[in-house]
Short mmCIF file of all heavy atoms in Angstrom, two decimals:
data_model
loop_
_atom_site.label_atom_id
_atom_site.label_comp_id
_atom_site.label_asym_id
_atom_site.label_seq_id
_atom_site.Cartn_x
_atom_site.Cartn_y
_atom_site.Cartn_z
N GLN A 1 16.40 4.08 -20.22
CA GLN A 1 16.48 4.93 -21.46
C GLN A 1 17.87 5.07 -21.98
O GLN A 1 18.04 5.31 -23.12
CB GLN A 1 16.01 6.36 -21.04
CG GLN A 1 14.55 6.43 -20.54
CD GLN A 1 14.16 7.88 -20.07
OE1 GLN A 1 14.73 8.88 -20.52
NE2 GLN A 1 13.30 7.95 -19.11
N ILE A 2 18.87 4.81 -21.17
CA ILE A 2 20.29 5.00 -21.68
C ILE A 2 21.12 3.71 -21.42
O ILE A 2 22.24 3.72 -21.25
CB ILE A 2 21.00 6.26 -21.09
CG1 ILE A 2 20.94 6.07 -19.50
CG2 ILE A 2 20.37 7.50 -21.55
CD1 ILE A 2 21.84 7.30 -19.00
N ASP A 3 20.41 2.60 -21.55
CA ASP A 3 21.05 1.17 -21.41
C ASP A 3 21.94 1.14 -20.25
O ASP A 3 23.21 0.82 -20.43
CB ASP A 3 21.85 0.99 -22.76
CG ASP A 3 20.85 0.62 -23.92
OD1 ASP A 3 19.74 0.41 -23.67
OD2 ASP A 3 21.33 0.74 -25.08
N THR A 4 21.42 1.35 -19.03
CA THR A 4 22.20 1.06 -17.87
C THR A 4 22.34 -0.48 -17.76
O THR A 4 21.35 -1.23 -17.99
CB THR A 4 21.44 1.58 -16.64
OG1 THR A 4 21.38 2.95 -16.82
CG2 THR A 4 22.24 1.31 -15.29
N ASN A 5 23.57 -0.95 -17.43
CA ASN A 5 23.73 -2.30 -17.13
C ASN A 5 23.25 -2.81 -15.81
O ASN A 5 23.68 -2.22 -14.73
CB ASN A 5 25.31 -2.71 -17.19
CG ASN A 5 25.84 -2.58 -18.59
OD1 ASN A 5 25.14 -2.74 -19.59
ND2 ASN A 5 27.12 -2.22 -18.69
N CYS A 6 22.23 -3.65 -15.82
CA CYS A 6 21.68 -4.27 -14.58
C CYS A 6 22.30 -5.61 -14.46
O CYS A 6 22.23 -6.41 -15.39
CB CYS A 6 20.22 -4.27 -14.71
SG CYS A 6 19.31 -5.17 -13.23
N TYR A 7 22.70 -5.94 -13.22
CA TYR A 7 23.41 -7.30 -13.05
C TYR A 7 22.65 -8.14 -12.06
O TYR A 7 22.07 -7.60 -11.02
CB TYR A 7 24.82 -7.02 -12.48
CG TYR A 7 25.71 -6.23 -13.41
CD1 TYR A 7 25.90 -4.89 -13.47
CD2 TYR A 7 26.28 -6.90 -14.50
CE1 TYR A 7 26.71 -4.20 -14.32
CE2 TYR A 7 27.09 -6.29 -15.44
CZ TYR A 7 27.29 -4.98 -15.33
OH TYR A 7 28.10 -4.23 -16.35
N LEU A 8 22.73 -9.44 -12.24
CA LEU A 8 22.28 -10.36 -11.24
C LEU A 8 23.44 -11.37 -10.85
O LEU A 8 24.12 -11.85 -11.91
CB LEU A 8 21.10 -11.20 -11.91
CG LEU A 8 20.54 -12.29 -10.98
CD1 LEU A 8 19.01 -12.50 -11.44
CD2 LEU A 8 21.26 -13.68 -11.21
N ALA A 9 23.78 -11.44 -9.64
CA ALA A 9 24.64 -12.33 -9.22
C ALA A 9 24.09 -13.22 -8.07
O ALA A 9 23.37 -12.69 -7.23
CB ALA A 9 25.88 -11.64 -8.44
N GLY A 10 24.33 -14.61 -8.17
CA GLY A 10 23.60 -15.40 -7.21
C GLY A 10 24.33 -16.72 -6.93
O GLY A 10 25.23 -17.13 -7.59
N ASP A 11 23.84 -17.37 -5.88
CA ASP A 11 24.33 -18.66 -5.37
C ASP A 11 23.34 -19.66 -5.74
O ASP A 11 22.25 -19.78 -5.21
CB ASP A 11 24.59 -18.61 -3.95
CG ASP A 11 25.13 -19.96 -3.31
OD1 ASP A 11 25.07 -20.92 -4.10
OD2 ASP A 11 25.66 -19.90 -2.31
N GLU A 12 23.66 -20.57 -6.85
CA GLU A 12 22.78 -21.45 -7.32
C GLU A 12 22.37 -22.43 -6.23
O GLU A 12 21.15 -22.98 -6.15
CB GLU A 12 23.22 -22.18 -8.51
CG GLU A 12 22.24 -23.14 -9.18
CD GLU A 12 22.77 -23.71 -10.45
OE1 GLU A 12 24.02 -23.64 -10.67
OE2 GLU A 12 22.00 -24.15 -11.27
N LYS A 13 23.37 -22.90 -5.51
CA LYS A 13 23.15 -23.92 -4.40
C LYS A 13 22.09 -23.39 -3.37
O LYS A 13 21.26 -24.05 -2.93
CB LYS A 13 24.46 -24.25 -3.77
CG LYS A 13 24.33 -25.47 -2.79
CD LYS A 13 25.66 -25.84 -2.30
CE LYS A 13 25.61 -26.99 -1.31
NZ LYS A 13 26.95 -27.51 -0.87
N ALA A 14 22.41 -22.18 -2.98
CA ALA A 14 21.44 -21.52 -1.95
C ALA A 14 20.12 -20.98 -2.57
O ALA A 14 19.23 -20.81 -1.75
CB ALA A 14 22.13 -20.50 -1.22
N GLY A 15 20.07 -20.83 -3.90
CA GLY A 15 18.85 -20.40 -4.47
C GLY A 15 18.53 -18.94 -4.27
O GLY A 15 17.33 -18.50 -4.42
N VAL A 16 19.63 -18.23 -4.17
CA VAL A 16 19.35 -16.77 -3.83
C VAL A 16 20.25 -15.86 -4.80
O VAL A 16 21.24 -16.31 -5.25
CB VAL A 16 19.74 -16.33 -2.40
CG1 VAL A 16 18.72 -17.06 -1.48
CG2 VAL A 16 21.08 -16.63 -2.00
N CYS A 17 19.77 -14.66 -4.98
CA CYS A 17 20.60 -13.63 -5.77
C CYS A 17 20.51 -12.23 -5.30
O CYS A 17 19.59 -11.94 -4.47
CB CYS A 17 20.09 -13.72 -7.21
SG CYS A 17 18.42 -13.12 -7.53
N ALA A 18 21.32 -11.34 -5.84
CA ALA A 18 21.31 -9.98 -5.63
C ALA A 18 21.19 -9.35 -7.04
O ALA A 18 21.74 -9.67 -7.93
CB ALA A 18 22.57 -9.45 -4.88
N VAL A 19 20.28 -8.24 -7.14
CA VAL A 19 20.26 -7.43 -8.20
C VAL A 19 20.86 -6.08 -8.12
O VAL A 19 20.54 -5.42 -7.11
CB VAL A 19 18.68 -7.30 -8.66
CG1 VAL A 19 18.57 -6.39 -9.87
CG2 VAL A 19 18.01 -8.68 -8.86
N THR A 20 21.75 -5.74 -8.97
CA THR A 20 22.51 -4.55 -8.88
C THR A 20 22.08 -3.47 -9.91
O THR A 20 22.04 -3.89 -11.12
CB THR A 20 24.07 -4.76 -8.96
OG1 THR A 20 24.43 -5.68 -7.90
CG2 THR A 20 24.86 -3.54 -8.91
N ASP A 21 21.78 -2.25 -9.60
CA ASP A 21 21.46 -1.22 -10.42
C ASP A 21 20.31 -1.49 -11.38
O ASP A 21 20.44 -1.45 -12.70
CB ASP A 21 22.71 -0.72 -11.26
CG ASP A 21 23.72 0.02 -10.38
OD1 ASP A 21 23.48 0.27 -9.20
OD2 ASP A 21 24.83 0.08 -10.80
N PRO A 22 19.09 -1.87 -10.88
CA PRO A 22 17.94 -2.02 -11.71
C PRO A 22 17.45 -0.64 -12.30
O PRO A 22 16.50 -0.10 -11.68
CB PRO A 22 16.95 -2.79 -10.84
CG PRO A 22 17.33 -2.24 -9.46
CD PRO A 22 18.77 -1.99 -9.43
N GLY A 23 17.98 -0.22 -13.33
CA GLY A 23 17.87 1.21 -13.72
C GLY A 23 16.66 1.57 -14.61
O GLY A 23 16.37 2.60 -14.86
N GLY A 24 15.81 0.48 -14.89
CA GLY A 24 14.58 0.72 -15.63
C GLY A 24 14.16 -0.64 -16.17
O GLY A 24 14.61 -1.61 -15.82
N SER A 25 13.25 -0.52 -17.23
CA SER A 25 12.73 -1.73 -17.88
C SER A 25 12.42 -2.92 -16.89
O SER A 25 12.93 -3.98 -16.94
CB SER A 25 13.74 -2.24 -18.87
OG SER A 25 14.20 -1.20 -19.76
N PRO A 26 11.43 -2.56 -15.94
CA PRO A 26 11.13 -3.52 -14.86
C PRO A 26 10.76 -4.91 -15.43
O PRO A 26 11.06 -5.84 -14.82
CB PRO A 26 10.06 -2.84 -14.12
CG PRO A 26 9.50 -1.87 -14.92
CD PRO A 26 10.58 -1.36 -15.79
N GLU A 27 10.08 -4.94 -16.59
CA GLU A 27 9.70 -6.27 -17.03
C GLU A 27 10.86 -7.10 -17.39
O GLU A 27 10.96 -8.34 -17.37
CB GLU A 27 8.75 -6.10 -18.20
CG GLU A 27 9.21 -5.55 -19.56
CD GLU A 27 9.70 -4.08 -19.37
OE1 GLU A 27 9.20 -3.32 -18.56
OE2 GLU A 27 10.44 -3.59 -20.29
N ARG A 28 11.98 -6.40 -17.95
CA ARG A 28 13.16 -7.14 -18.40
C ARG A 28 13.91 -7.59 -17.09
O ARG A 28 14.48 -8.64 -17.06
CB ARG A 28 14.02 -6.29 -19.33
CG ARG A 28 13.26 -5.85 -20.48
CD ARG A 28 14.31 -5.33 -21.57
NE ARG A 28 15.18 -6.39 -22.01
CZ ARG A 28 16.50 -6.16 -22.17
NH1 ARG A 28 17.15 -5.03 -21.99
NH2 ARG A 28 17.14 -7.21 -22.50
N VAL A 29 13.86 -6.80 -16.14
CA VAL A 29 14.64 -7.13 -14.81
C VAL A 29 13.87 -8.43 -14.24
O VAL A 29 14.57 -9.29 -13.87
CB VAL A 29 14.67 -5.98 -13.85
CG1 VAL A 29 15.40 -6.46 -12.64
CG2 VAL A 29 15.47 -4.78 -14.49
N LEU A 30 12.51 -8.35 -14.22
CA LEU A 30 11.87 -9.46 -13.50
C LEU A 30 12.03 -10.72 -14.42
O LEU A 30 12.22 -11.83 -13.83
CB LEU A 30 10.27 -9.00 -13.55
CG LEU A 30 9.92 -7.98 -12.47
CD1 LEU A 30 8.56 -7.53 -12.71
CD2 LEU A 30 10.08 -8.39 -11.15
N ALA A 31 12.09 -10.56 -15.73
CA ALA A 31 12.33 -11.75 -16.61
C ALA A 31 13.84 -12.36 -16.29
O ALA A 31 13.92 -13.59 -16.35
CB ALA A 31 12.16 -11.34 -18.05
N MET A 32 14.74 -11.49 -16.13
CA MET A 32 16.08 -12.07 -15.79
C MET A 32 16.09 -12.63 -14.54
O MET A 32 16.79 -13.88 -14.45
CB MET A 32 17.04 -10.83 -15.77
CG MET A 32 18.48 -11.31 -15.38
SD MET A 32 19.74 -9.91 -15.58
CE MET A 32 19.25 -8.81 -14.19
N ILE A 33 15.47 -12.28 -13.50
CA ILE A 33 15.48 -12.91 -12.25
C ILE A 33 14.66 -14.25 -12.33
O ILE A 33 15.02 -15.35 -11.95
CB ILE A 33 14.60 -12.17 -11.13
CG1 ILE A 33 15.45 -10.80 -10.90
CG2 ILE A 33 14.42 -12.96 -9.93
CD1 ILE A 33 14.71 -9.89 -9.99
N GLU A 34 13.51 -14.26 -13.13
CA GLU A 34 12.73 -15.52 -13.35
C GLU A 34 13.65 -16.53 -14.14
O GLU A 34 13.60 -17.79 -13.68
CB GLU A 34 11.48 -15.27 -14.12
CG GLU A 34 10.55 -16.41 -14.32
CD GLU A 34 9.31 -16.10 -15.04
OE1 GLU A 34 9.04 -14.99 -15.35
OE2 GLU A 34 8.56 -17.09 -15.32
N LYS A 35 14.31 -16.10 -15.12
CA LYS A 35 15.15 -16.96 -15.83
C LYS A 35 16.22 -17.62 -14.94
O LYS A 35 16.61 -18.90 -15.09
CB LYS A 35 15.84 -16.15 -16.98
CG LYS A 35 16.96 -16.97 -17.87
CD LYS A 35 17.62 -16.08 -18.75
CE LYS A 35 18.85 -16.79 -19.42
NZ LYS A 35 19.54 -15.85 -20.34
N SER A 36 16.68 -16.85 -13.87
CA SER A 36 17.69 -17.52 -13.10
C SER A 36 17.34 -18.51 -12.24
O SER A 36 18.04 -19.37 -11.79
CB SER A 36 18.37 -16.29 -12.23
OG SER A 36 17.53 -15.97 -11.16
N GLY A 37 16.03 -18.61 -11.87
CA GLY A 37 15.36 -19.55 -10.91
C GLY A 37 15.67 -19.23 -9.54
O GLY A 37 15.46 -20.01 -8.65
#
């Protein structure tokens, strides 16, 4: 609702990531993760 910044940081070689402060808009968060691979 108030544009919280949600972050994805990951290691491409290891194929893993962490998601920080997923404050809402779950479909957008899931899409960001999918985009990262």
Side-chain angles (χ1 to χ4, degrees):
Q1 298 177 32
I2 56 176
D3 285 345
T4 300
N5 291 329
C6 174
Y7 296 99
L8 179 148
D11 180 344
E12 185 175 21
K13 185 175 181 179
V16 296
C17 67
V19 177
T20 300
D21 289 349
S25 309
E27 70 289 344
R28 300 194 66 221
V29 178
L30 291 169
M32 178 172 66
I33 297 170
E34 182 178 358
K35 175 186 171 185
S36 76

